[in-house]
């Protein structure tokens, strides 16, 4: 957050070189590109009317060679020892040679070579072993002073507990440690430093607190309102989710290869960002991984203009923007990276506009309808940007509704197939019932006419058999003599 600020020199604030419309923009170095440590935060003071850095007079850009060169809360973590080493120290293996420290949040351990050291010699030896870990070794009086080289939020040097024998012998009850934690604050003077290309001094300063991240912006605009301002200017937070100012409208996109989209190298938190070359007026775009702020085309920090410019793909409305032809760092095979998706953007985005391409998530149909209602009831600011914002909201909602309809059809088809299976099972059951009924009928039911006929026939057959038996049984050999 930003306070109301203060003006120490009204004459400088009112100078003709100050248009009283500026922004403080922040960028977090996720790769230690500037050498201040991974996660170090830098800021740029920008003329809001043209996007130029007040420090350089050129387009505000991040990364190496960019204009974000001023560390935020740049106090570095220090650790001051409590052992007087003016007489030097004798290092003995297994007694006082091991020094376990935590540097910028990372555990580090060194073992000093045995021998007698002067205080200066000890500093030199420690520097040779701790320097590679980002520590500068110095003195505070007759005590050791260890300073982290990082200006990131984790900047600091502390003794790793339980204390090693060397930490106890060389540092004792050391004080200090981390420079600051989240919730820190820094005063930002609205003036240049001797190392800056441009020279200015607006006689004012603001206090920023908290932990700004990439994309955070605070505005400073001239105002004499006694309620909202300090009598000279008013400060405010510029939301990072501000609407695009151009007329670009993004479509639903298309997944061409699900395996590539689901690659572990794809964060699935991507953006298409636009920049217009102020000289040629050509509109270019860059594909960016929002997790690292790196261009997918170069695997370096996304930077507009300058020698490290990553906005090299000219934009043409209606053409498909494919997330292919990426840097080899985004490929499992070592060739050009390909995330297997494409999007189409209609209209003309403005410089600075951005469109997100993220993994889809489930959403209730009622939430979708609620979003449409809110978009229609809220409306949008008058003007091209407002119309585009509304069109994007409605377009997104209509896409969501189309997906809802598709889901309904899928569910309906699934239920239909299950119902068809139930019907088939019912038909099989009916056929079995008929077979069982016929079998039971044959076993239990009686046709009286047929039964009488069969009984009479069987009686006649029985009588004939009996008579035949009687006659045959009376026959003997004497009947033939």
């Amino acid at each position: 957050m930003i306070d109301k600020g203060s003006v120490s020199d009204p004459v400088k604030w009112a100078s003709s070189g100050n248009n009283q419309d500026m922004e403080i923009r922040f960028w977090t170095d996720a790769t230690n590109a500037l050498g201040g440590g991974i996660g170090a935060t830098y800021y740029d003071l920008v003329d809001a009317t043209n996007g130029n850095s007040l420090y350089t007079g050129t387009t505000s850009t991040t990364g190496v060679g960019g204009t974000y060169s001023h560390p935020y809360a740049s106090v570095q973590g220090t650790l001051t020892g409590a052992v007087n080493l003016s007489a030097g120290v004798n290092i003995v293996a297994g007694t006082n040679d091991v020094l376990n420290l935590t540097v910028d949040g990372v555990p580090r351990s060194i073992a000093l070579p045995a021998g007698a050291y002067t205080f200066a010699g000890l500093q030199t030896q420690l520097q040779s072993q701790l320097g590679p870990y980002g520590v500068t070794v110095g003195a505070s009086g007759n005590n050791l002073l260890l300073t982290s080289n990082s200006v990131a939020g984790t900047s600091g040097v502390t003794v790793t507990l339980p204390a090693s024998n060397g930490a106890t012998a060389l540092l004792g009850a050391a004080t200090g440690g981390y420079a600051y934690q989240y919730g820190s604050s820094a005063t930002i003077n609205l003036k240049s430093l001797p190392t800056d290309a441009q020279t200015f001094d607006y006689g004012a300063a603001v206090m920023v607190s908290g932990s700004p991240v990439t994309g955070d912006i605070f505005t400073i605009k001239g105002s004499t309102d006694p309620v909202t301002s300090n009598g000279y200017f008013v400060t405010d937070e510029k939301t990072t989710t501000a609407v695009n100012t151009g007329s670009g409208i993004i479509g639903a996109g298309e997944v061409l290869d699900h395996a590539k989209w689901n690659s572990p190298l794809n964060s699935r938190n991507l953006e298409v960002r636009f920049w217009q070359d102020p000289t040629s007026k050509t509109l270019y775009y860059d594909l960016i991984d929002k997790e690292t702020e790196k261009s997918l085309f170069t695997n370096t920090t996304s930077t507009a203009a300058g020698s490290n410019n990553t906005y090299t793909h000219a934009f043409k409305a209606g053409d498909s923007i494919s997330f292919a032809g990426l840097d080899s760092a985004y490929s499992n095979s070592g060739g050009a990276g390909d995330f297997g998706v494409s999007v189409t953007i209609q209209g003309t985005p403005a410089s600075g506009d951005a469109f997100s391409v993220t993994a889809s998530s489930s959403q209730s149909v009622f939430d979708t309808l609620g979003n449409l209602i809110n978009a229609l009831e809220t409306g949008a600011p008058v003007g091209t940007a407002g119309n585009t914002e509304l069109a994007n909201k409605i377009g997104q909602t209509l896409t969501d509704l189309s997906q809802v309809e598709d889901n309904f059809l899928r569910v309906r088809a699934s239920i239909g197939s299950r119902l068809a299976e139930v019907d088939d099972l019912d038909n099989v059951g009916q056929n079995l019932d008929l077979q069982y009924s016929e079998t039971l009928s044959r076993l239990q039911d009686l046709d009286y006419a047929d039964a009488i006929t069969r009984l009479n026939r069987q009686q006649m057959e029985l009588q004939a058999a009996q008579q035949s038996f009687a006659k045959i049984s009376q026959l003997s050999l004497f009947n033939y003599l």
Side-chain angles (χ1 to χ4, degrees):
M1 60 182 296
I2 188 171
D3 70 352
K4 284 189 173 183
S6 61
V7 173
S8 58
D9 191 328
V11 175
K12 291 181 179 178
W13 175 255
S15 65
S16 59
N18 180 13
N19 65 11
Q20 300 184 15
D21 187 4
M22 62 195 79
E23 294 177 345
I24 303 174
R25 300 180 183 178
F26 290 88
W27 169 66
T28 300
D29 186 355
T31 61
N32 195 26
L34 301 189
I38 295 176
T41 301
Y42 300 86
Y43 67 88
D44 191 9
L45 191 59
V46 180
D47 185 333
T49 64
N50 57 24
N52 288 341
S53 170
L54 294 175
Y55 296 123
T56 65
T58 60
T59 302
S60 176
T61 57
T62 61
V64 177
T67 58
Y68 288 71
S69 57
H70 294 69
Y72 169 69
S74 58
V75 177
Q76 295 160 280
T78 61
L79 183 67
T80 304
V83 177
N84 189 325
L85 298 171
S86 59
V89 64
N90 187 39
I91 299 298
V92 178
T95 301
N96 60 353
D97 61 328
V98 177
L99 186 59
N100 294 337
L101 302 173
T102 299
V103 180
D104 304 333
V106 180
R108 304 294 188 184
S109 180
I110 64 170
L112 293 167
Y117 293 86
T118 63
F119 186 28
L122 178 63
Q123 294 176 52
T124 301
Q125 181 61 41
L126 287 172
Q127 183 62 57
S128 68
Q129 293 183 256
L130 292 176
Y133 298 139
V135 176
T136 297
V137 180
S140 175
N142 295 318
N143 303 322
L144 285 173
L145 176 64
L146 308 182
T147 303
S148 166
N149 296 336
S150 171
V151 293
T154 55
S155 176
V157 182
T158 59
V159 173
T160 303
L161 297 177
S164 56
N165 55 33
T168 301
L170 303 178
L171 296 171
T175 57
Y178 285 99
Y180 60 94
Q181 298 292 336
Y182 291 106
S184 62
S185 61
T187 297
I188 297 178
N189 294 304
L190 306 185
K191 68 176 183 179
S192 60
L193 297 177
T195 55
D196 293 323
Q198 300 291 310
T199 301
F200 65 91
D201 185 352
Y202 296 149
V206 294
M207 174 75 76
V208 176
S209 57
S211 299
V213 296
T214 296
D216 283 355
I217 300 174
F218 297 101
T219 60
I220 302 172
K221 296 181 181 292
S223 174
T224 57
D225 188 322
V227 177
T228 61
S229 75
N230 56 20
Y232 297 95
F233 60 83
V234 61
T235 61
D236 197 6
E237 178 179 358
K238 183 176 181 180
T239 175
T240 58
T241 57
V243 300
N244 293 336
T245 58
S247 60
I249 299 175
I250 190 170
E254 182 181 6
V255 178
L256 307 173
D257 190 317
H258 290 276
K260 292 179 179 178
W261 172 248
N262 292 318
S263 166
L265 300 175
N266 180 12
S267 70
R268 291 180 288 282
N269 186 15
L270 315 175
E271 264 190 356
V272 184
R273 295 183 190 171
F274 291 87
W275 168 72
Q276 186 177 51
D277 188 324
T279 302
S280 66
K281 303 301 180 184
T282 303
L283 187 64
Y284 297 91
Y285 68 86
D286 192 9
L287 304 182
I288 297 167
D289 186 335
K290 291 177 64 178
E291 299 290 332
T292 62
E293 284 298 310
K294 287 185 176 182
S295 167
L296 298 178
F297 292 125
T298 63
N299 196 35
T300 59
T301 302
S302 176
T303 304
S307 58
N308 298 309
N309 177 39
T310 58
Y311 288 74
T312 56
H313 290 67
F315 170 75
K316 183 179 179 181
D319 281 0
S320 176
I321 296 177
S322 177
F323 283 73
L326 312 180
D327 187 84
S328 59
Y330 303 102
S331 170
N332 290 316
S333 61
D338 185 353
F339 286 162
V341 295
S342 66
V343 296
T344 300
I345 297 176
Q346 303 288 350
T348 305
S351 186
D353 283 359
F355 297 89
S356 295
V357 180
T358 59
S360 60
S361 59
S362 299
Q363 178 175 273
S364 164
V365 62
F366 300 106
D367 290 339
T368 300
L369 292 173
N371 292 339
L372 177 59
I373 293 171
N374 290 336
L376 294 174
E377 288 183 344
T378 304
V382 177
T384 302
N387 294 337
T388 303
E389 177 191 0
L390 181 59
N392 272 313
K393 287 182 178 179
I394 293 177
Q396 181 62 52
T397 304
L398 291 178
T399 299
D400 291 343
L401 288 175
S402 177
Q403 292 174 344
V404 167
E405 183 181 11
D406 291 342
N407 190 49
F408 280 160
L409 292 175
R410 283 194 298 270
V411 173
R412 182 179 177 183
S414 175
I415 293 175
S417 64
R418 294 177 187 178
L419 287 175
E421 185 176 353
V422 171
D423 289 340
D424 291 341
L425 289 174
D426 185 53
N427 291 333
V428 171
Q430 290 178 1
N431 291 334
L432 286 174
D433 285 344
L434 179 59
Q435 293 176 16
Y436 293 153
S437 296
E438 291 176 349
T439 302
L440 287 174
S441 177
R442 287 195 301 268
L443 295 174
Q444 297 177 345
D445 295 347
L446 179 63
D447 184 343
Y448 288 99
D450 179 64
I452 292 172
T453 300
R454 286 189 287 108
L455 179 60
N456 289 335
R457 184 172 65 250
Q458 290 173 357
Q459 285 179 337
M460 290 175 62
E461 292 172 350
L462 178 61
Q463 289 175 357
Q466 288 175 340
Q467 291 175 358
S468 298
F469 177 75
K471 289 181 179 183
I472 292 172
S473 63
Q474 294 175 359
L475 293 177
S476 71
L477 184 59
F478 296 103
N479 293 94
Y480 298 95
L481 294 177

